[in-house]
Amino acid sequence: MNVPAEEMAAVGEAAREVIREAKAAGVYVFGGGINADVAPVMVAGDGSCTTATYRQTRELDGGFCVLELPSRAVAVQWAARIAAACRCAQELREFGYDPES
């Protein structure tokens, strides 16, 4: 995301508008941003913690949004709307269904 500081408020409002539309459409599940002020920790099975993160996520920035959609094609459409609002590409992932959840 490479947006001038003076345009960030407009980007935030555009992104929130897409989320409002997803809520109105009944597809929004939840979402949020990554708190950059809190360092990540790795927690082992024994409960010990180290200040670290997975190598591939060292530069993770931003947040995420979970939508429940009928198809991957529809998911791509929503991701494109979010990408346009945020002015940057969005990574699209699919959750695996857990019948115990």
Side-chain angles (χ1 to χ4, degrees), residues 11-85:
V11 169
E13 178 52 32
R16 285 188 290 280
E17 178 57 30
V18 175
I19 297 305
R20 286 191 286 272
E21 292 170 11
K23 288 178 178 180
V27 299
Y28 181 83
V29 177
F30 69 93
I34 304 299
N35 186 345
D37 295 332
V38 179
V41 295
M42 295 292 285
V43 181
D46 65 3
S48 63
C49 296
T50 56
T51 302
T53 186
Y54 290 115
R55 187 171 22 96
Q56 65 270 29
T57 61
R58 283 190 187 133
E59 295 185 32
L60 180 63
D61 189 19
F64 64 93
C65 177
V66 177
L67 304 178
E68 186 172 349
L69 301 165
S71 69
R72 188 164 183 90
V74 174
V76 168
Q77 292 170 352
W78 277 101
R81 293 173 72 180
I82 294 169

